[in-house]
Amino acid sequence: LNAPWPPQWPLSEPHRDLLFPGGARSEVMAVRFTSRIMRRLHATRAAPAAFEVPVLSRHVVTTIPTAHGSFDVAAYAWSADNTPKDHLALVYGDLSKAGDEGVLCRVHSECLTGEVLGSRLCDCGEQLDRSMAQVAAAGRGVILYLRQEGRGIGLVEKLRAYNLQRQGYDTVEANRLLGHGDDDRDFSVAAAMLEDLGVAKVRLITNNPGKIQALREGGVDVAERVPLLPIDVSEHNAGYLATKAERMGHLLENKETAAGGAGANEARRAQAKGGASRPLVAVDRAV
């Protein structure tokens, strides 16, 4: 391969149609950066000596036009997944020009019900759409789309959890009743994907301190947290948002808005349109 590595974004022609079906170069690169990540995990979590270093394989890179502009999209497989999944990196602009401030980044987990079906039970579809818009507005950035439906429990189990929530349990209680943890996601794949993209320092779009900690354990320098506050709070998702804030530690700036008040929704819509003095998305230094 004659293309430079890591690739420069947006992709030059030598990179656009490269396929990596688990070939030698893909495997060697994967072992290189995942071994660094796993060394950190061994140090922080005392992983078993016989633990096998997971391998990240990048299969294809292409470009797709979206409502927010054209994104270069890279598809990855992660050997540590219990079932085969394809994770995506959506890259906008030239990441190498981010400078010392770091690359604007969103680590987003799949939510078929919210993103495809338009479910009002969560704010996942809204978060993905607004993150893409924010990255495009910034001129450069990356969104990692991880196939970890239902905070890692899968689609079928998530639907079972919805039935329990209809009986009065919150999202944490429902997961536990089904034998799952509060959050079963593994963000080490995100750290590996970022290294493959040549990204060492990020400004992370998230309300979840757990993501910051997980990326740092994987060797990523999280310089800032960029909050993404919900706009459309309703009777359908108010309880879910309140549970994320109260039981899972998510940093929702105004927890009282989880009550689903119309006034709060109108204020946030006005902020999103530039009609209010305080910006909808603030920036916090991650410490």
Side-chain angles (χ1 to χ4, degrees), residues 110-126:
E110 176 185 30
C111 178
L112 184 144
T113 52
E115 297 156 5
V116 178
L117 303 181
S119 169
R120 301 295 302 280
L121 293 176
C122 64
D123 60 337
C124 302
E126 174 192 319

Side-chain angles (χ1 to χ4, degrees), residues 34-54 80 186 188 217:
T34 56
S35 62
R36 178 177 65 82
I37 291 166
M38 293 314 299
R39 281 198 299 271
R40 289 183 60 90
L41 294 180
H42 272 267
T44 58
R45 299 181 182 176
F51 189 86
E52 182 179 351
V53 175
D186 177 8
S188 58
E217 288 180 352

Side-chain angles (χ1 to χ4, degrees), residues 20-274:
F20 293 96
R25 177 165 183 174
S26 177
E27 296 294 334
V28 169
M29 290 189 302
V31 170
R32 174 178 58 81
F33 52 68
T34 56
S35 62
R36 178 177 65 82
I37 291 166
M38 293 314 299
R39 281 198 299 271
R40 289 183 60 90
L41 294 180
H42 272 267
T44 58
R45 299 181 182 176
F51 189 86
E52 182 179 351
V53 175
V55 174
L56 183 78
S57 301
R58 178 167 31 81
H59 293 304
V60 65
V61 180
T62 190
T63 302
I64 60 172
T66 75
H68 304 294
S70 292
F71 285 76
D72 292 322
V73 180
Y76 294 89
W78 182 239
S79 66
D81 288 334
N82 293 328
T83 57
K85 302 180 180 70
D86 297 312
H87 306 286
L88 301 177
L90 284 69
V91 178
Y92 191 94
D94 188 347
L95 303 185
S96 66
K97 295 182 179 180
D100 293 338
E101 66 179 3
V103 173
L104 187 63
C105 174
R106 166 74 180 169
V107 177
H108 186 90
S109 297
E110 176 185 30
C111 178
L112 184 144
T113 52
E115 297 156 5
V116 178
L117 303 181
S119 169
R120 301 295 302 280
L121 293 176
C122 64
D123 60 337
C124 302
E126 174 192 319
Q127 286 186 325
L128 178 60
D129 185 68
R130 291 174 59 204
S131 295
M132 292 178 69
Q134 189 172 349
V135 164
R140 65 186 56 85
V142 58
I143 295 171
L144 303 183
Y145 188 85
L146 306 184
R147 304 291 302 282
Q148 301 187 128
E149 181 83 43
R151 300 200 302 279
I153 68 175
L155 179 59
V156 172
E157 288 292 89
K158 183 174 83 168
L159 297 180
R160 289 178 174 138
Y162 281 170
N163 280 340
L164 290 172
Q165 291 175 50
R166 288 169 62 90
Q167 298 175 34
Y169 299 100
D170 65 33
T171 182
V172 170
E173 294 165 340
N175 274 29
R176 292 176 180 177
L177 286 171
L178 291 171
H180 304 292
D182 298 354
D183 191 336
D184 285 346
R185 290 175 292 183
D186 177 8
F187 294 113
S188 58
V189 62
M193 291 165 70
L194 287 173
E195 185 170 355
D196 182 55
L197 297 172
V199 175
K201 186 176 184 179
V202 299
R203 298 161 52 225
L204 191 64
I205 303 174
T206 186
N207 301 323
N208 182 2
K211 286 184 183 178
I212 297 174
Q213 179 181 351
L215 289 184
R216 285 177 170 168
E217 288 180 352
V220 179
D221 181 359
V222 182
E224 294 178 345
R225 182 182 74 88
V226 182
L228 191 62
L229 304 180
I231 292 179
D232 289 318
V233 181
S234 70
E235 61 180 310
H236 302 291
N237 63 17
Y240 168 76
L241 294 172
T243 298
K244 288 207 297 185
E246 295 167 6
R247 303 197 62 179
M248 303 181 70
H250 286 215
L251 303 176
L252 301 182
E253 188 171 301
N254 298 313
K255 294 182 181 180
E256 65 273 12
T257 61
N265 283 343
E266 290 303 319
R268 288 187 169 178
R269 291 191 184 98
Q271 289 171 338
K273 295 178 181 178

